[in-house]
Amino acid sequence: MSRKHLFANEESALHEGNDASLQAASVQAATLSAQGFELPTVFHRPAVRRFNNRRQTKLICLVSAAILVAIALIGVLLMPVAMESDLSQARQAPSFEHPFGTDNLGHDMLIRTVAGLSTSIGIGLFAALVSSIIALILGTVAALGGKKADACITWLTDLMLGIPHIVFLLLISYALGKGFWGVALGVAFTHWPSLCRVIRAEVLQVKQSSYVAVARSLGRSPLYIALHHVLPAVLPQYLVGLILMFPHAILHEAAITFLGFGLPPEQPAIGIILSESMSYLSVGMWWLAVFPGLALLLVVLLFDRAGQGLRRLLDPARAQE
Amino acid sequence: MDLSRRNFIKLGGAGAATVAFGGLLSSILSGCSTDSAPAEGASVTGNSNEVVISMPTTSEPASGFDPFFTWGCGEHVHEPLIQSTLITTDTDLNFVNDLATSYECSPDGLTWTFTLRNDAYFTDGEQLSASDVAFTLNGINNSPSAQADLSMVDEAVALDETTVEIRLNKPFNALLYTLAVVGIVPEHAYDSATYGAQPIGSGRYVLEQWDQGQQVIFKANPDYYGQAPTMERVIVVFMEEDASLAAANSQEVDVAYTAATFASSVPEHYELFVCDSVDSRGISFPCVPAGGTKADGENEYPLGNNVTSDLTLRRAMNYAVDRETMINNVLSGYGSPAYSVSDGTPWASEDMIVQTDAEYARGLLEQGGWIAGEDGVLVKDGTRAQFDLYYSSNDSVRQALATEFSNQMAQLGIEVTIHGGGWDDLYPREFADPLLWGWGSNSPTEMYNLIYSAGVGNYSTYENATVDSHIDAALAMTHVEDSYDQWKRAQWDGTEGVAPQGGASWVWLVNVDHLYFKRSGLSIAEQKPHPHGHGWSLVNNVDAWSW
């Protein structure tokens, strides 16, 4: 990671400085080959001119975010259409009219996939927000609230991490009567422990730092220190954790729905689409699984890209690790 | 062209991945066909007196082959194979004697006397006598987990070795249809803890082996009193739908159950075998306004629905539903229109049949005061023609039927919102919301359950004294053949009934054909209409199949 970065930076620095000489060299090479000289294959060559890394990362973040927001919004708009079915159009292979094909009930799979992704993003957003707030509160309390609070919260975190995640999700979802809220709350209440640990460690670190000690000596109130010194230091970790929680939440939503403990089958959701596709794979309806599966993968990767990018931008010190 | 090392490696990697993936795909696709085909005119096992059949995993009897639980006479009725029955039904649903040599009913319809044959022996060597019959019937009645309904039987008494008297608490001649699926167990060797796994009967087959979760093997009973089975061994394997198709593709089974979705992909050396059924799918409409509760066994569930309690609406839906389109769209044509729970039986009424006529339905609604609102949905006195329809979410056919019904009703201005759920979610709604059901058996008891006021399946809570009186009259006939007419009159007697022009308490949609892939060369004996439950009915007469 870090090596690559350094190289990339050097390369771009090279670009800025030696553009003119490089051009001259290539012109010379072209003339040589025109004169009949054989040129050896060049294995080392600076990559094509590109943005510097920071700008590139920003761009990736923005584009990912834009795509995800677009999917979410379009999906919400398409939701009523995605519920519509035309059984006379059932079980059609991908075509110009239905790029992702149609399922057993004649749903257009492109529309249904986008609507399903939108449901997933919605549940992911809700779950990630709730989970990250829980993590922020518990992590801060653990770090600042004294030994007993720390012991309690650390124990609870370890306990939550010790229970097999998917089983715990199933239990919560089933106990809440399945459906949208069963899934959303189930996913929301089970994703906080790892972020909680990170935040606790961060806050502890900030607490030990000299500038906090100085602030304390200067007579700043604990609240002032928390708001002006601790929060800004933890915020990047929090935001990155929030975004990186999305892929987990989305995949877990899809997983419990796939297992039949989540949303009812008439709802468009990726988990349902994939679990339904299972029964039709043996008759060769591959498009029911392939496109929605790839779309899910794409969304998860986009979130991951956006989260990693944001981490680099917000936390430059660690980006070079 | 210049090629940097980085790009060179990238390209190489991508190429290798493509080759590997392609190889994987082609090996998966080609893996489906095997080269060594079993001999023609014999089972996949190689023997011409054996047959291998796949059935859904749900067909495996959880509590074994015990009529005191579900075997033969439970929710899904079929001949019990291992045990004999007093009587049985032929392909036209007429009664044929099995253990009984004769039987008659007292004039008041309350006492049935059966005379038994004296040459039937259990496979442990003991003779089957009238006391075994009495033991079985009384035992089922006293067993809380028995699914067979013998509640009309007060007691069964063995008068002598070969005569048994069944005393009823009310006239109920349809009992005969139940007796046709109740296997007689040995009084001397019955233990409810072990009988299910080690059944002793006097029927055509004995249980050779049962590997729970996998397969059941039956072999012919050498001491059977009737004609010896031509199929000496019957192997039933339990598998999921797609596994069943795969088993046929690799020629591991002789008969593979399948569904309409798969019907077009008939494996090589196999042909599609279509069985007509009375496996009816229909929707119950609560006929009373919301309010109060109704008991189902020990549970109290909410009762009534303010929308479907409107008679005009129910009638209009019965006329508007296009069953043929439904069959083509949902079942790929493998089904027949359903107009009642017992289409095609001797007690089915012609008056239940309706021709699809959306215009007529619209007229009915208009006369009934239903006027289209702003969003196109009909409204009457402030009530929108909108209701929730529930279906079992793990059944793709029911989901499709519910969806298609909802689409068709939308054109009429009735908004049907569909909800899938598990049966735990569905049963509590059975009296308050329309529900998509699967019903149907080779017995008028099915109709009794659904339309008699006190019937256990009267989900629509349609209670009509005239209908009840026709059913009571039918059940009191001392000859079952004479009761058909009264059953028909219970459905429509010219002025009243549950028919679409009457109470329209249900809308029946389709009878689902039971589909099988059968290896060419296997001759399957003529089938009775298959009741609800895609499983054991097929092998009712497996003893008469041949290669």
Side-chain angles (χ1 to χ4, degrees):
Chain A
M1 172 77 87
S2 58
R3 262 172 60 93
K4 196 175 153 198
H5 262 279
L6 285 171
F7 276 110
N9 285 339
E10 280 168 12
E11 275 170 16
S12 51
L14 251 169
H15 271 284
E16 318 285 345
N18 302 338
D19 245 14
S21 64
L22 268 173
Q23 269 175 11
S26 69
V27 168
Q28 199 184 0
T31 344
L32 277 173
S33 71
Q35 287 167 355
F37 286 97
E38 289 252 341
L39 279 177
T41 309
V42 181
F43 278 123
H44 266 296
R45 201 176 73 166
V48 193
R49 184 191 172 88
R50 58 178 190 187
F51 291 124
N52 71 44
N53 257 5
R54 198 169 172 83
R55 281 174 68 189
Q56 191 186 7
T57 312
K58 259 186 210 164
L59 198 69
I60 288 175
C61 273
L62 280 176
V63 169
S64 308
I67 294 177
L68 291 170
V69 170
I71 291 177
L73 289 182
I74 295 173
V76 169
L77 294 177
L78 284 178
M79 201 61 86
V81 190
M83 305 282 277
E84 275 171 22
S85 63
D86 179 0
L87 278 105
S88 58
Q89 300 284 310
R91 298 188 285 279
Q92 290 193 355
S95 63
F96 188 68
E97 203 180 340
H98 303 287
F100 282 16
T102 63
D103 70 358
N104 191 42
L105 297 177
H107 292 121
D108 181 276
M109 290 313 285
L110 175 60
I111 295 178
R112 208 163 164 80
T113 302
V114 174
L117 287 174
S118 168
T119 311
S120 296
I121 293 175
I123 289 182
L125 181 70
F126 172 79
L129 273 179
V130 173
S131 252
S132 64
I133 290 172
I134 296 177
L136 185 66
I137 294 173
L138 289 183
T140 317
V141 170
L144 302 176
K147 273 200 175 131
K148 276 185 186 162
D150 189 24
C152 283
I153 290 170
T154 312
W155 175 80
L156 186 64
T157 313
D158 290 344
L159 179 75
M160 293 285 287
L161 286 172
I163 303 173
H165 198 148
I166 197 83
V167 177
F168 197 33
L169 266 173
L170 291 185
L171 282 175
I172 294 183
S173 174
Y174 195 80
L176 292 174
K178 303 192 258 185
F180 180 85
W181 288 110
V183 180
L185 292 175
V187 177
F189 287 135
T190 51
H191 281 81
W192 57 266
S194 25
L195 182 60
C196 177
R197 274 189 173 176
V198 173
I199 288 182
R200 175 177 166 273
E202 285 287 316
V203 176
L204 276 178
Q205 203 184 357
V206 176
K207 205 173 119 187
Q208 307 294 330
S209 62
S210 43
Y211 62 90
V212 171
V214 169
R216 211 178 286 137
S217 322
L218 288 175
R220 294 295 189 189
S221 72
L223 189 68
Y224 181 92
I225 295 175
L227 287 180
H228 285 82
H229 292 310
V230 179
L231 197 64
V234 177
L235 203 61
Q237 281 296 337
Y238 170 77
L239 283 179
V240 170
L242 173 76
I243 292 186
L244 288 181
M245 217 181 269
F246 259 93
H248 280 268
I250 289 173
L251 286 178
H252 276 127
E253 179 270 326
I256 55 173
T257 304
F258 177 82
L259 292 172
F261 291 89
L263 304 167
E266 66 272 4
Q267 288 265 335
I270 294 290
I272 286 173
I273 293 173
L274 290 180
S275 80
E276 278 180 356
S277 75
M278 298 287 286
S279 15
Y280 302 105
L281 283 182
S282 43
V283 275
M285 291 164 69
W286 53 271
W287 58 90
L288 291 182
V290 171
F291 294 129
L294 283 179
L296 177 67
L297 186 68
L298 185 77
V299 163
V300 167
L301 285 179
L302 277 178
F303 266 114
D304 195 55
R305 263 299 168 92
Q308 301 288 4
L310 198 65
R311 166 178 292 174
R312 281 187 212 152
L313 291 177
L314 289 178
D315 201 357
R318 214 162 290 187
Q320 304 298 332
E321 271 173 11
Chain B
M1 181 195 146
D2 291 344
L3 195 69
S4 75
R5 188 158 61 191
R6 187 182 293 162
N7 287 343
F8 178 76
I9 291 169
K10 267 188 200 165
L11 206 70
T18 314
V19 170
F21 185 66
L24 195 70
L25 260 187
S26 62
S27 67
I28 288 171
L29 291 176
S30 63
C32 295
S33 61
T34 45
D35 306 327
S36 58
E40 287 287 320
S43 164
V44 288
T45 60
N47 299 323
S48 61
N49 55 2
E50 297 185 351
V51 64
V52 185
I53 300 159
S54 81
M55 282 192 197
T57 48
T58 48
S59 289
E60 186 171 18
S63 37
F65 302 87
D66 187 345
F68 282 30
F69 291 94
T70 60
W71 180 240
C73 48
E75 183 192 348
H76 302 152
V77 294
H78 57 89
E79 295 177 23
L81 297 179
I82 296 171
Q83 295 91 0
S84 315
T85 50
L86 286 175
I87 49 177
T88 180
T89 49
D90 66 13
T91 49
D92 296 322
L93 301 184
N94 299 312
F95 292 114
V96 182
N97 290 336
D98 186 3
L99 285 172
T101 53
S102 70
Y103 54 93
E104 58 174 6
C105 181
S106 66
D108 61 2
L110 286 174
T111 311
W112 286 83
T113 312
F114 284 82
T115 312
L116 309 182
R117 63 197 304 154
N118 57 10
D119 58 349
Y121 289 85
F122 286 110
T123 45
D124 63 355
E126 295 277 335
Q127 188 169 5
L128 186 149
S129 75
S131 62
D132 295 307
V133 177
F135 171 78
T136 305
L137 299 184
N138 294 328
I140 288 180
N141 230 353
N142 295 329
S143 161
S145 11
Q147 278 193 2
D149 179 18
L150 291 178
S151 57
M152 71 298 290
V153 175
D154 256 350
E155 59 172 344
V157 182
L159 298 182
D160 58 40
E161 280 292 290
T162 56
T163 315
V164 65
E165 196 173 275
I166 303 172
R167 297 169 187 158
L168 309 184
N169 50 35
K170 64 175 172 185
F172 202 96
N173 57 22
L175 169 70
L176 292 187
Y177 292 97
T178 310
L179 293 179
V181 289
V182 170
I184 304 301
V185 303
E187 183 178 11
H188 60 272
Y190 182 82
D191 174 357
S192 68
T194 57
Y195 186 84
Q198 289 134 22
I200 295 170
S202 56
R204 290 158 277 175
Y205 288 93
V206 291
L207 181 66
E208 181 183 310
Q209 191 183 330
W210 179 24
D211 306 317
Q212 285 202 26
Q214 295 170 43
Q215 61 169 356
V216 177
I217 303 176
F218 301 97
K219 67 170 189 230
N221 175 3
D223 303 323
Y224 182 55
Y225 51 84
Q227 198 178 0
T230 51
M231 282 297 168
E232 289 180 15
R233 263 173 115 233
V234 179
I235 299 142
V236 175
V237 289
F238 303 104
M239 44 180 68
E240 301 291 342
E241 228 165 51
D242 47 352
S244 178
L245 175 67
N249 271 322
S250 53
Q251 304 210 43
E252 285 166 4
V253 293
D254 297 312
V255 182
Y257 85 94
T258 190
T261 339
F262 301 86
S264 54
S265 40
V266 183
E268 209 182 335
H269 308 298
Y270 285 76
E271 51 202 60
L272 190 67
F273 183 71
V274 181
C275 301
D276 290 339
S277 80
V278 285
D279 193 353
S280 324
R281 298 286 179 273
I283 297 169
S284 60
F285 292 130
C287 295
V288 291
T293 59
K294 182 171 170 175
D296 179 359
E298 291 169 359
N299 303 308
E300 284 282 336
Y301 296 138
L303 171 67
N305 185 302
N306 289 332
V307 178
T308 61
S309 57
D310 184 272
L311 178 61
T312 318
L313 201 66
R314 298 200 303 271
R315 278 188 189 160
M317 288 192 279
N318 260 283
Y319 283 99
V321 67
D322 183 353
R323 296 169 176 83
E324 290 294 344
T325 307
M326 216 170 242
I327 291 166
N328 286 330
N329 285 350
V330 178
L331 301 172
S332 312
Y334 296 105
S336 55
Y339 301 106
S340 74
V341 72
S342 38
D343 292 330
T345 60
W347 48 91
S349 165
E350 293 282 315
D351 293 309
M352 295 296 285
I353 299 173
V354 286
Q355 301 304 324
T356 303
D357 191 343
E359 280 315 306
Y360 179 69
R362 282 201 182 87
L364 277 180
L365 289 168
E366 214 164 288
Q367 283 169 24
W370 290 95
I371 298 153
E374 278 177 14
D375 55 354
V377 177
L378 300 173
V379 183
K380 178 186 177 182
D381 304 334
T383 308
R384 283 180 89 233
Q386 188 278 331
F387 59 83
D388 298 322
L389 169 63
Y390 287 83
Y391 66 92
S392 162
S393 57
N394 57 10
D395 185 332
S396 63
V397 171
R398 291 188 198 199
Q399 185 187 5
L401 286 173
T403 310
E404 176 70 22
F405 181 75
S406 166
N407 290 349
Q408 290 189 6
M409 290 306 114
Q411 292 170 10
L412 200 67
I414 301 171
E415 188 181 325
V416 182
T417 316
I418 60 167
H419 300 279
W423 283 107
D424 292 345
D425 311 321
L426 264 48
Y427 283 130
R429 304 179 189 278
E430 61 189 8
F431 300 127
D433 288 299
L435 220 84
L436 182 65
W437 297 92
W439 280 83
S441 83
N442 298 333
S443 162
T445 51
E446 207 77 341
M447 205 188 294
Y448 173 83
N449 286 331
L450 297 187
I451 68 175
Y452 194 70
S453 292
V456 292
N458 187 9
Y459 307 111
S460 40
T461 322
Y462 179 74
E463 297 178 358
N464 183 312
T466 316
V467 171
D468 288 355
S469 71
H470 285 306
I471 294 179
D472 286 331
L475 289 170
M477 298 285 178
T478 53
H479 290 282
V480 169
E481 297 76 24
D482 301 337
S483 69
Y484 299 156
D485 189 49
Q486 285 293 346
W487 282 114
K488 292 178 186 174
R489 291 165 72 81
Q491 295 162 75
W492 183 247
D493 65 359
T495 50
E496 281 188 78
V498 294
Q501 65 264 48
S505 52
W506 284 66
V507 59
W508 290 98
L509 304 173
V510 295
N511 294 308
V512 181
D513 285 347
H514 289 178
L515 303 181
Y516 297 89
F517 294 128
K518 139 187 125 60
R519 272 187 68 221
S520 318
L522 175 67
S523 134
I524 293 180
E526 195 190 344
Q527 300 278 310
K528 302 178 214 187
H530 281 199
H532 180 48
H534 192 164
W536 292 98
S537 292
L538 178 75
V539 294
N540 274 339
N541 54 15
V542 66
D543 52 307
W545 295 11
S546 59
W547 287 99

